[in-house]
Amino acid sequence: MKSTTLFASDTHRNILLPEFGEGAAVQANQHLIIDGRAGMILDPGGHKVYAKVLSETMAQLGGGKLEHIFLSHQDPDIVAALNGWLMTTDATAWAPHLWIRFIPHFGLDRLVIDRLKGLPDGGGTLKLGSTELQVLPAHFLHSPGNLQVYDPVSKILYSGDLGASLGQDYIEVSDFAAHEQFMKGFHQRYMASNRAMRRWATMASKLDIEVIAPQHGALFRGKPMVKRFIEWCAALECGSDLIDQFYPGH
Ligand code: FE
């Protein structure tokens, strides 16, 4: 298994780490952004993949330094191994402020707890080398406190659970209509509402995006595919729109 380079210039690389997961745990993608000698790991995952993700991250960084750990929201497939990451690196971990008092329940050592920092609801910027990464709101998609990262150099939007797909055997979507079956059920159940989807779509459609890279499953590449996905989100009824089906007989 090899890492996949999504973008590379002389000074900037975006890397999808190899598939390390197996068994009952949901498939999850780990992404790395390197600018100059500075690195950021996004949604690094749980204990089963921790050692492999850490060693591949360090191999990709070479002599560089992991500066940031980005946590899009509080789920275990994102956050569970955070203590290990903080104990073995000097990186700062960033998560939506809403979850800062909940994440320590995964077990954060007193020595490292000050390096878990909250990001405001509206997002902001994180400096990585000479690049300003944009942190964007994606609340209720699916978590009530949920953020995404947009990289203006590679024009990749790291969308977290939004755009996730399960069960397909490819890492890049080539046929959107054929792909829909792998993501529709997930979005109908995990995303909060069409209102939340439409608000995100309004923001996303103003960005210059080449790739949307979710935390599970296949990514969307190229402006037509990105546009198609954003429009699909804006039209999808999901979550509380479908509330009656979760109360059968009541
Ligand atoms: Fe999640």
Side-chain angles (χ1 to χ4, degrees):
M1 287 181 296
K2 287 194 350 217
S3 289
T4 304
T5 301
L6 301 180
F7 175 90
S9 72
D10 288 347
T11 57
H12 193 91
R13 283 190 295 148
N14 298 69
I15 298 153
L16 169 60
L17 298 188
E19 178 60 56
F20 292 125
E22 55 185 39
V26 66
Q27 186 277 334
N29 299 321
Q30 289 87 34
H31 287 278
L32 182 64
I33 309 174
I34 302 174
D35 192 281
R37 297 173 57 77
M40 172 194 267
I41 184 86
L42 292 98
D43 292 347
H47 298 291
K48 295 277 259 188
V49 298
Y50 162 69
K52 288 173 182 165
V53 175
L54 180 67
S55 76
E56 178 67 14
T57 297
M58 293 309 157
Q60 292 286 346
L61 278 167
K65 186 172 174 235
L66 188 72
E67 293 200 348
H68 300 299
I69 301 163
F70 178 78
L71 309 164
S72 61
H73 61 293
Q74 82 291 354
D75 275 345
D77 56 322
I78 286 162
V79 170
L82 182 60
N83 194 56
W85 283 91
L86 291 172
M87 293 291 269
T88 50
T89 71
D90 296 324
T92 302
W94 301 93
H97 75 95
L98 207 63
W99 300 116
I100 293 303
R101 296 181 65 201
F102 292 76
I103 290 170
H105 279 274
F106 283 110
L108 288 194
D109 197 282
R110 247 183 313 127
L111 293 168
V112 303
I113 194 117
D114 291 342
R115 279 190 284 125
L116 171 61
K117 309 255 192 226
L119 290 163
D121 279 343
T125 60
L126 287 174
K127 185 117 171 130
L128 184 71
S130 55
T131 297
E132 293 231 312
L133 299 170
Q134 293 181 30
V135 180
L136 299 171
H139 302 298
F140 301 97
L141 303 174
H142 66 94
S143 173
N146 204 122
L147 297 167
Q148 299 178 343
V149 168
Y150 173 72
D151 174 359
V153 177
S154 62
K155 300 181 178 174
I156 297 173
L157 176 66
Y158 293 95
S159 59
D161 277 323
L162 190 63
S165 51
L166 300 172
Q168 73 294 327
D169 59 1
Y170 45 84
I171 65 166
E172 193 168 318
V173 178
S174 56
D175 180 339
F176 189 91
H179 182 65
E180 189 187 6
Q181 63 182 306
F182 299 113
M183 59 177 184
K184 190 173 182 182
F186 180 93
H187 287 74
Q188 285 175 323
R189 188 67 170 94
Y190 285 95
M191 299 299 143
S193 68
N194 180 255
R195 184 172 181 183
M197 289 288 237
R198 278 187 283 119
R199 187 62 191 85
W200 173 86
T202 299
M203 175 189 73
S205 59
K206 293 177 196 156
L207 295 168
D208 181 10
I209 303 171
E210 286 294 338
V211 172
I212 291 181
Q215 192 229 342
H216 308 282
L219 59 84
F220 305 87
R221 189 193 292 273
K223 290 215 158 63
M225 191 64 87
V226 165
K227 184 168 184 278
R228 183 110 189 247
F229 174 68
I230 294 170
E231 288 171 355
W232 180 84
C233 288
L236 188 73
E237 290 205 317
C238 55
S240 62
D241 307 321
L242 308 173
I243 192 71
D244 283 339
Q245 75 183 47
F246 303 118
Y247 288 81
H250 295 282

